[in-house]
Amino acid sequence: VCRLWRECARRTLRTRQRIAWVSALEPGPAESHALVRALARELEKVYVLPQTVLYIADAETFSGHEDCHEQKKARKRNSKETALALEKLLPKRCQVLGLVTPGIVVTPMGSSSNQPQEIEEGEAGFALLFPKIDGVKIHTFHFSKDVKNRVFDESKFAEAGLKNNPDLRVVLLFGYNSWKTGATRFFHQIVNPLNEKSIILAGGQVESFTSLTSENNHAQPGDACGVVGLAFSGPQIQSATVLLDQDVADERTAEAAMQRLKAANIPEHNTIGFMFACVGRGYRHYKTKRNMEADAFRKFFPNVPLFGFFGHGEIGCDRIVTGNFVLRECNDIKDDLLHGYTTVMTLIHLGSTK
């Protein structure tokens, strides 16, 4: 591994403004370190040092198939060991955010020549590796519910760079342990103050988070509920998001939503697509037709890789932030950001590369 990173450092200059994509699809039986081995194999093909990593795996890949109550502690230990093994593959000062979700949306190898896939069943996972990008800052954050205080201290937003930050453009939010008492109220306390017209909010509720590191500081979820996420800041960032509600139930209406996203005119070079969908959608919602929404996205954005997950609740709306930071909304109704049985499609453009 040390030899690999030395080689990466030597070859960083030419590619440091590119986004490095790594995706891992593991068919076969669930194994505790399958994701680690897959990521290690793909890292051998990466020649740029990552500063921020987002990886997402479904619960079967990350923790195995065991569902017995007696094996609950063993599964938690297994997840922690896998997370630590993944982090050891990365530079020590790299920010890492790892999520476990019921299903995965991934473009294999992040290549526009590959079709994005909605993997609702079976083992799957991916990782996005972000290098240093001139004019762009990406950082992780974590807010955990304090059982002693019913009111969230909003000064923590400023500490996390989510307030008083004129360059903030996009915030990806992921709630965990949403079944806990008070979780919904806490989630509203986080989302509502951030519901500003000048930024994009998108994300959803996940099974759990397994990694959250920033300069070797580890935060473990325990049994509390909370919110983790990524914040994207930089004047060159552009973003847009659309909401596919329950009425979007066939190919025609799914493509109409993609047309709205296309009309935002977000540059497609150096752009990532994110899809956050309810576990109740997918092929069940579209009456056994699989990959409907990912296919609709690819039809209108053939050169933009798509990543995301199936979760337990969605965050987003119809919102567009243009390059000159003037917001154009698709409707005049006050944004409702928390949804169920929907899909949120989001574009994040990280600026042009030199």
Side-chain angles (χ1 to χ4, degrees), residues 90-291:
L90 301 165
K92 290 184 178 180
R93 295 179 68 86
C94 182
Q95 297 184 110
V96 183
L97 175 57
L99 306 174
V100 177
T101 62
I104 297 296
V105 179
V106 60
T107 302
M109 305 312 301
S111 171
S112 60
S113 62
N114 291 323
Q115 180 178 353
Q117 301 176 20
E118 299 176 18
I119 305 176
E120 301 177 61
E121 299 168 349
E123 298 84 37
F126 69 84
L128 299 181
L129 279 65
F130 297 91
K132 180 179 180 180
I133 305 171
D134 289 344
V136 174
K137 180 180 179 180
I138 306 172
H139 68 270
T140 60
F141 59 86
H142 177 212
F143 303 124
S144 181
K145 184 177 182 295
D146 186 348
V147 295
K148 297 180 181 179
N149 297 314
R150 288 179 55 84
V151 179
F152 179 74
D153 182 3
E154 293 191 12
S155 66
K156 294 181 179 179
F157 287 134
E159 296 174 8
L162 302 180
K163 284 288 185 180
N164 304 321
N165 179 3
D167 288 333
L168 182 64
R169 296 295 187 265
V170 184
V171 179
L172 299 183
L173 295 164
F174 310 109
Y176 63 88
N177 287 350
S178 59
W179 52 273
K180 285 283 186 178
T181 302
T184 300
R185 184 174 183 274
F186 179 76
F187 205 52
H188 277 278
Q189 291 181 14
I190 300 299
V191 172
N192 291 344
L194 297 177
N195 190 4
E196 299 179 356
K197 302 301 182 182
S198 58
I199 62 175
I200 295 291
L201 293 180
Q205 300 279 5
V206 301
E207 294 273 356
S208 62
F209 82 87
T210 59
S211 297
L212 183 66
T213 63
S214 178
E215 298 185 356
N216 294 326
N217 293 322
H218 290 251
Q220 297 298 332
D223 293 325
C225 61
V227 176
V228 295
L230 290 175
F232 295 78
S233 302
Q236 67 197 46
I237 295 175
Q238 299 183 45
S239 184
T241 181
V242 295
L243 179 71
L244 286 67
D245 60 23
Q246 297 184 36
D247 295 334
V248 177
D250 55 38
E251 186 174 9
R252 179 184 59 83
T253 52
E255 290 185 358
M258 296 306 104
Q259 285 179 320
R260 294 205 314 275
L261 191 60
K262 187 77 172 181
N265 292 320
I266 300 297
E268 296 179 23
H269 177 66
N270 208 24
T271 295
I272 320 165
F274 285 101
M275 173 179 165
F276 305 114
C278 177
V279 292
R281 292 183 72 88
Y283 72 90
R284 298 174 186 85
H285 179 67
Y286 288 101
K287 304 187 186 305
T288 72
K289 187 167 184 178
R290 295 179 180 271
N291 228 63

Side-chain angles (χ1 to χ4, degrees), residues 19-96:
I19 298 171
W21 319 96
V22 176
S23 63
L25 300 180
E26 290 292 321
E31 301 177 52
S32 61
H33 294 293
L35 187 62
V36 177
R37 290 194 297 272
L39 182 57
R41 288 196 302 268
E42 297 305 328
L43 278 171
E44 294 178 357
K45 306 172 187 176
V46 176
Y47 299 104
V48 58
L49 289 174
Q51 290 199 338
T52 306
V53 173
L54 169 66
Y55 72 83
I56 303 179
D58 76 292
E60 290 182 0
T61 293
F62 212 85
S63 302
H65 292 278
E66 302 89 346
D67 291 321
C68 298
H69 176 72
E70 292 80 4
Q71 296 178 334
K72 185 176 181 180
K73 291 183 179 179
R75 293 201 312 275
K76 286 185 176 180
R77 183 172 62 252
N78 183 54
S79 296
K80 184 177 180 180
E81 291 173 353
T82 304
L84 291 174
L86 281 167
E87 292 166 17
K88 287 180 179 179
L89 297 173
L90 301 165
K92 290 184 178 180
R93 295 179 68 86
C94 182
Q95 297 184 110
V96 183

